[in-house]
Amino acid sequence: MPLCLSSIFSSLFSSLSAIVLNFLLCFLKDDTSDSDLELSMVRHQPEGLDQLQAQTQFTRKELQSLYRGFKNECPSGLVDEETFKTIYSQFFPQGDATRYAHFLFNAFDIDRNGSIRFVDFVLGLSVLLRGSVTEKLRWAFNLYDINKDGYITKEEMLEIMTSIYDMMGRYTLPSVRDDSPFEHVEKFFQKMDRNRDGVVTIDEFIETCQKDENIMASMQLFENVI
Amino acid sequence: MAAGVAAWLPFARAAAIGWMPVASTPMPIPPQDKRKAQDGFIILNVSGTKFQTWRTTLERYPDTLLGSTERDFFFHEETSEYFFDRDPDIFRHILNFYRTGKLHYPRQECISAYDEELAFFGIIPEIIGDCCYEEYKDRRRENAERLQDDEEMDMNNDVAPLNLTFREYLWRAFENPHTSTLALVFYYVTGFFIAISVMANVVETVPCGTLPNRSKEVSCGDRYALAFFCLDTACVMIFTVEYLLRLIAAPSRCKFMKSVMSVIDVVAIMPYYIGLVMTDNDQVSGAFVTLRVFRVFRIFKFSRHSAGLRILGYTLKSCASELGFLLFSLTMAIIIFATVMFYAEKGSTATKFTSIPAAFWYTIVTMTTLGYGDMVPKTIVGKVFGSICSLSGVLVIALPVPVIVSNFSRIYHQSQRAEKRRAQRKTRLARIRAAKIRGTNAYMRYKQNGLLIDALEEEAGKALVGKSASPPFESQHHHLLHCLEKTTNHEFVDEQTFQANCMEISVVNKSGSRTSSLSSSPHGLSSCCSRRHRKKSSFSLPSTNNQELSTIQIRERPVSNSRSSLNAKLDETVPLKCDEAYISPSMVRLSAPVATSSDDASTATTTYSQSNIVRVSAL
């Protein structure tokens, strides 16, 4: 009888001490996590206005206005992928825009460091809004080419297409069938892939697009957005 | 983030170039951006304090005053700035809302003033950020309670209009004893009888000495059984009469019967009647004794007489969750420690810890630090756990108690404040009335002077009698009052004359005859004698400001849809909910002719698409 009692006592004591030790450890750990938090709040300054003006085709005023909007949203000067996805998704509430936002993020994040700085942002916009048609087509090609190897494969195109259809959401007319993206990709490749090698190169892409009136017309669409 | 969504729209549109090469159909024509973003400054002059901001900042929220064309009404051409005659300190917060998208509530501002400013500038209070929302809501609630209190007081202090039915009169007398002397007398009499009844219950059980033919002591109740019975009967009769009167007078009998006080009344008088009905046999005497216990509930009838008791009850009700938590944690601890003590003491001889439920008693006594000493552990292990038990008991009980105490203190202070306000109100109203009298006296003088001047003018024919030296504002005001008098064919009088008139009229009314002078306005008769101080609620927000966020329709259209036509002629007022099937709108889309770049269509859609995005950002 005293044996089992003492065993109860010892087990209770050990559990109590374990709890106390855990408590102390938690307090110690808390200090280190704080410092991690501090490191991530790095501020990034863009290059000077003159440099940006030289690099892009925006006027000074336009750059100023763009930066003000950018800085207002991202005071730290950097946009990470999650924030980017959140912002972009707000424009498409009925569908899921995260996948497409991911591709878009990669298209803007030229140096692939996981965050878009203002200079990346403004360079991308400069191409899209003030660039020549060829530059715009190049940008679009860059967007579709997920692994940036210079070729668009059917799989890459299918991913892009699926992400675009995802943004539509469920309620469409006619409703999006499961093979709608695939069919669309087939049509795209029929049009673009000249030599039927299963991939689309940049030259094929630009050549085909320049021959298509609709595409050329729609490229001019967003000239005066800013 | 909400404000910024609008700022990122150009980016989203530019990124749409990514869809162009894969599109299978031609793109729609974009809306013409007529208003090229004139990104200039706007100067807002608020009572002299100048605020400057970009035009685009203000236009982020086009459904507010500053973001819409409504601000043009405040444009001051000479200085080419927008002038607002409002509080600059509060305006600072409003402007910050445009800048950051978050509305903050400054703690040092009065809640009514803040709400008025928000209403003026067309901003919904629900947008207040999480950091300040709680504080704002608390202050709002306090203010609303205060207003409700004042209104209730107003209603209570009204002089009773003559045309109350007897039933309503009775109810008023019961609810508010200060209205008439009879009610006050009744109030005190019932209080007295409650006290008597409770004391009788108590004294009944006191031993009163022995009877001559018995050896043991009898209680006073048995000795003077008849006297106590008579006293009990009298009290119960009074209570019954009171209860029946209240029941008759209650405006809503069902609600009255469900209320706590009426339940207490019933419980207080039922035992007597049941006792009357039941015969004195052994089977039911046990139950009869139990019923007598319920007589002690009469003491709760005092809560009608004492505000403090009501506050205590209200506190306990509002702290129900903390009390529940206390109870739950205590139960858990009791069970744990009772089990441990039982097994710890199992070994020792002749122990009182015969079972776990028996150990409950020990645990409770120890945790509440009572320590009767009728059960004590004998083994060392038992003593160790017994000490842990008493230490933890102190902690477990000490934790929820401050919450309950602070709740009680808050409610108590609130009621104190209500009392103070009531006392201050009288002096305040007296002063306000004095100021009004001064005003009416000035008006009387003006009228007299005016009549005099008119008379003089008539006599002297435009004599050079100067008008009385009152400021132009006042004279215009007086002229206005005069016009009103002429319109309604009534005259303004001062208080004494009014009271005198009322006396006359009431005398005349009592005599039952209606003279011709009174027949002109029979309704005005009763209103003449009743000083209805309908206090206008100055704190009245337009109802639109209180709309829930859910009712803000998200007018969102699939901008990404390559088949959508940005210039589709959709009615602007059609709210498209996001989870609605798009069958109907897309039908409209397909049937609408593809519009050419006609100006009116594009402007309509421009504003539509602008309002489109703005709805999102208003969230």
Side-chain angles (χ1 to χ4, degrees):
Chain A
M1 209 63 74
L3 195 64
C4 83
L5 280 175
S6 60
S7 65
I8 294 175
F9 183 56
S10 55
S11 62
L12 265 167
F13 182 74
S14 54
S15 57
L16 268 171
S17 51
I19 293 170
V20 168
L21 276 173
N22 256 335
F23 239 164
L24 289 175
L25 273 174
C26 276
F27 278 122
L28 289 176
K29 262 192 225 156
D30 270 352
D31 293 334
T32 54
S33 65
D34 275 338
S35 56
D36 282 336
L37 205 58
E38 281 172 32
L39 280 172
S40 64
M41 298 294 271
V42 158
R43 198 176 85 89
H44 181 82
Q45 275 174 316
E47 304 162 5
L49 196 51
D50 298 320
Q51 274 175 299
L52 283 175
Q53 213 181 347
Q55 283 176 312
T56 67
Q57 273 135 337
F58 288 120
T59 65
R60 246 182 130 77
K61 272 202 181 291
E62 287 168 343
L63 280 171
Q64 281 176 339
S65 150
L66 276 172
Y67 186 68
R68 280 202 301 269
F70 184 83
K71 179 87 177 165
N72 216 12
E73 287 325 293
C74 315
S76 62
L78 295 169
V79 189
D80 63 337
E81 189 160 343
E82 282 312 309
T83 322
F84 186 82
K85 280 184 178 165
T86 320
I87 294 174
Y88 200 70
S89 302
Q90 288 186 344
F91 291 106
F92 309 104
Q94 66 277 22
D96 179 23
T98 47
R99 199 84 197 109
Y100 186 71
H102 167 74
F103 297 129
L104 212 60
F105 186 83
N106 286 339
F108 270 90
D109 186 14
I110 303 164
D111 46 2
R112 310 303 290 270
N113 61 350
S115 62
I116 298 182
R117 299 165 293 149
F118 181 63
V119 62
D120 301 326
F121 177 71
V122 109
L123 282 173
L125 274 185
S126 168
V127 165
L128 287 173
L129 299 176
R130 302 271 187 271
S132 67
V133 176
T134 321
E135 287 173 353
K136 290 181 189 172
L137 287 171
R138 249 182 238 282
W139 188 91
F141 185 86
N142 192 37
L143 173 68
Y144 302 145
D145 186 13
I146 298 177
N147 54 3
K148 313 286 181 238
D149 61 354
Y151 299 103
I152 305 179
T153 63
K154 273 201 181 162
E155 289 77 24
E156 289 176 339
M157 206 56 221
L158 186 61
E159 276 200 51
I160 300 264
M161 204 62 76
T162 321
S163 66
I164 294 180
Y165 275 85
D166 280 342
M167 282 199 283
M168 293 292 296
R170 278 199 309 143
Y171 302 103
T172 55
L173 182 80
S175 46
V176 174
R177 301 188 311 272
D178 286 339
D179 52 354
S180 305
F182 186 71
E183 280 185 22
H184 204 145
V185 169
E186 288 296 320
K187 272 192 275 190
F188 178 79
F189 264 77
Q190 265 184 342
K191 204 164 66 162
M192 298 282 170
D193 194 6
R194 292 293 155 133
N195 52 4
R196 302 271 175 258
D197 56 355
V199 292
V200 178
T201 62
I202 179 81
D203 302 311
E204 286 177 340
F205 182 74
I206 293 181
E207 201 190 316
T208 317
C209 287
Q210 277 175 334
K211 294 215 182 83
D212 188 333
E213 305 173 339
N214 285 337
I215 296 180
M216 293 306 280
S218 53
M219 281 294 177
Q220 320 286 347
L221 218 52
F222 296 109
E223 298 278 272
N224 45 1
V225 158
I226 298 263
Chain B
M1 187 65 98
V5 172
W8 286 80
L9 180 62
F11 160 74
R13 296 179 73 201
I17 287 187
W19 308 324
M20 304 299 158
V22 295
S24 36
T25 45
M27 288 291 126
I29 299 171
Q32 290 292 341
D33 206 3
K34 280 280 171 87
R35 310 174 304 111
K36 212 58 178 139
Q38 310 137 21
D39 209 16
F41 282 133
I42 287 190
I43 301 180
L44 301 160
N45 185 346
V46 182
S47 306
T49 313
K50 294 217 178 131
F51 296 88
Q52 258 184 323
T53 182
W54 297 106
R55 190 178 299 268
T56 45
T57 311
L58 290 183
E59 280 160 11
R60 278 187 197 150
Y61 299 99
D63 48 351
T64 57
L65 187 152
L66 289 173
S68 62
T69 51
E70 199 182 337
R71 65 167 184 245
D72 294 338
F73 287 104
F74 297 94
F75 188 68
H76 193 239
E77 261 110 23
E78 288 90 32
T79 50
S80 73
E81 59 189 20
Y82 294 85
F83 182 76
F84 296 95
D85 209 3
R86 314 288 298 187
D87 188 354
D89 293 330
I90 298 183
F91 186 77
R92 187 170 68 84
H93 298 280
I94 289 175
L95 197 53
N96 274 338
F97 165 62
Y98 287 92
R99 292 178 179 140
T100 61
K102 286 198 224 123
L103 183 61
H104 293 279
Y105 168 62
R107 279 165 207 224
Q108 75 274 14
E109 297 291 347
C110 170
I111 184 80
S112 322
Y114 189 73
D115 267 327
E116 275 174 23
E117 295 298 310
L118 284 187
F120 180 82
F121 286 103
I123 296 175
I124 320 172
E126 272 69 24
I127 294 183
I128 291 185
D130 287 335
C131 42
C132 301
Y133 194 63
E134 232 180 84
E135 168 86 20
Y136 174 77
K137 274 292 174 194
D138 283 345
R139 295 273 287 263
R140 267 279 274 273
R141 201 170 21 91
E142 271 180 40
N143 200 40
E145 279 172 13
R146 180 185 61 81
L147 279 172
Q148 219 181 21
D149 275 350
D150 284 348
E151 263 181 38
E152 277 175 18
M153 235 171 37
D154 259 348
M155 287 184 339
N156 288 340
N157 290 346
D158 273 351
V159 171
L162 284 175
N163 51 358
L164 262 190
T165 66
F166 177 66
R167 184 174 160 182
E168 286 170 3
Y169 179 71
L170 205 58
W171 183 247
R172 266 178 67 98
F174 275 128
E175 289 302 297
N176 205 354
H178 301 280
T179 45
S180 68
T181 13
L182 190 63
L184 209 59
V185 162
F186 190 71
Y187 176 77
Y188 282 125
V189 161
T190 44
F192 175 70
F193 271 98
I194 294 173
I196 288 277
S197 160
V198 168
M199 276 207 321
N201 280 344
V202 166
V203 167
E204 245 180 14
T205 58
V206 169
C208 243
T210 59
L211 283 179
N213 52 354
R214 292 204 196 177
S215 53
K216 72 176 171 81
E217 288 218 356
V218 289
S219 59
C220 283
D222 288 336
R223 191 154 171 192
Y224 302 104
L226 193 61
F228 278 106
F229 181 72
C230 290
L231 194 59
D232 205 22
T233 312
C235 293
V236 168
M237 269 191 343
I238 302 260
F239 296 154
T240 316
V241 162
E242 183 206 354
Y243 180 69
L244 286 174
L245 280 177
R246 272 184 210 262
L247 190 61
I248 291 171
S252 155
R253 298 223 169 97
C254 283
K255 202 172 88 146
F256 173 72
M257 289 187 68
K258 280 190 281 191
S259 72
V260 174
M261 288 311 303
S262 108
V263 166
I264 291 178
D265 287 339
V266 169
V267 167
I269 59 181
M270 267 335 226
Y272 176 81
Y273 288 111
I274 296 181
L276 276 186
V277 166
M278 274 196 321
T279 56
D280 201 11
N281 54 4
D282 289 333
Q283 280 174 330
V284 292
S285 65
F288 181 64
V289 167
T290 323
L291 276 177
R292 292 192 120 204
V293 168
F294 280 98
R295 289 188 307 171
V296 81
F297 275 83
R298 286 178 200 167
I299 204 167
F300 283 117
K301 287 167 70 75
F302 266 130
S303 56
R304 275 215 186 89
H305 299 248
S306 152
L309 208 57
R310 274 199 301 270
I311 291 176
L312 191 61
Y314 186 64
T315 311
L316 289 176
K317 195 166 64 148
S318 66
C319 298
S321 65
E322 279 85 26
L323 284 175
F325 166 71
L326 176 64
L327 214 60
F328 176 69
S329 57
L330 265 180
T331 314
M332 246 181 24
I334 286 171
I335 294 178
I336 292 175
F337 278 108
T339 315
V340 167
M341 289 307 294
F342 172 69
Y343 283 113
E345 286 287 305
K346 204 164 173 191
S348 75
T349 54
T351 181
K352 290 227 166 73
F353 293 82
T354 50
S355 63
I356 294 185
F360 280 168
W361 173 245
Y362 168 76
T363 320
I364 292 175
V365 165
T366 316
M367 281 188 91
T368 53
T369 68
L370 277 174
Y372 287 137
D374 55 347
M375 278 165 89
V376 281
K378 293 200 181 59
T379 60
I380 296 184
V381 181
K383 286 187 181 163
V384 165
F385 281 108
S387 40
I388 296 177
C389 175
S390 64
L391 286 174
S392 64
V394 170
L395 283 176
V396 167
I397 292 182
L399 284 174
V401 166
V403 175
I404 299 173
V405 164
S406 77
N407 248 359
F408 178 77
S409 144
R410 178 177 63 85
I411 296 172
Y412 180 71
H413 281 304
Q414 253 177 16
S415 77
Q416 290 287 71
R417 259 185 278 141
E419 290 293 330
K420 247 196 285 181
R421 266 204 307 274
R422 247 165 264 178
Q424 285 167 353
R425 219 178 140 67
K426 297 215 173 111
T427 42
R428 267 181 68 208
L429 283 178
R431 258 186 248 142
I432 291 171
R433 215 173 295 153
K436 275 195 198 150
I437 288 173
R438 276 198 297 277
T440 40
N441 285 343
Y443 181 57
M444 297 302 141
R445 274 201 307 278
Y446 156 80
K447 271 205 333 183
Q448 287 167 4
N449 282 351
L451 290 171
L452 201 60
I453 287 165
D454 282 344
L456 280 174
E457 270 190 353
E458 275 182 25
E459 284 179 11
K462 303 259 178 180
L464 296 167
V465 178
K467 294 271 184 206
S468 60
S470 60
F473 179 74
E474 263 202 42
S475 53
Q476 285 165 9
H477 185 221
H478 292 160
H479 175 254
L480 184 67
L481 293 173
H482 204 174
C483 292
L484 183 62
E485 279 186 343
K486 291 287 179 234
T487 316
T488 56
N489 224 7
H490 284 52
E491 281 192 357
F492 292 110
V493 290
D494 54 353
E495 195 162 341
Q496 290 94 334
T497 334
F498 171 75
Q499 297 279 28
N501 279 350
C502 258
M503 293 298 191
E504 286 176 22
I505 287 167
S506 59
V507 164
V508 169
N509 197 16
K510 274 185 190 148
S511 64
S513 62
R514 288 192 174 254
T515 63
S516 54
S517 60
L518 297 173
S519 62
S520 56
S521 53
H523 183 66
L525 175 80
S526 52
S527 62
C528 152
C529 287
S530 68
R531 286 176 282 128
R532 277 212 200 101
H533 297 297
R534 285 276 156 252
K535 190 170 92 155
K536 191 166 89 79
S537 171
S538 58
F539 181 69
S540 50
L541 278 181
S543 58
T544 50
N545 278 1
N546 291 336
Q547 58 177 286
E548 304 284 347
L549 275 176
S550 58
T551 62
I552 300 175
Q553 306 273 6
I554 305 176
R555 297 190 198 171
E556 185 62 46
R557 284 203 62 213
V559 178
S560 70
N561 187 2
S562 55
R563 286 192 280 276
S564 83
S565 36
L566 282 170
N567 57 351
K569 291 200 179 94
L570 257 189
D571 195 2
E572 265 195 52
T573 56
V574 170
L576 296 173
K577 294 204 188 71
C578 290
D579 51 355
E580 221 173 42
Y582 272 115
I583 295 184
S584 36
S586 44
M587 285 298 205
V588 173
R589 256 188 273 128
L590 290 171
S591 61
V594 176
T596 53
S597 56
S598 56
D599 273 357
D600 42 354
S602 39
T603 44
T605 48
T606 307
T607 46
Y608 180 74
S609 54
Q610 294 289 7
S611 71
N612 173 5
I613 297 306
V614 156
R615 282 293 167 192
V616 171
S617 63
L619 280 176

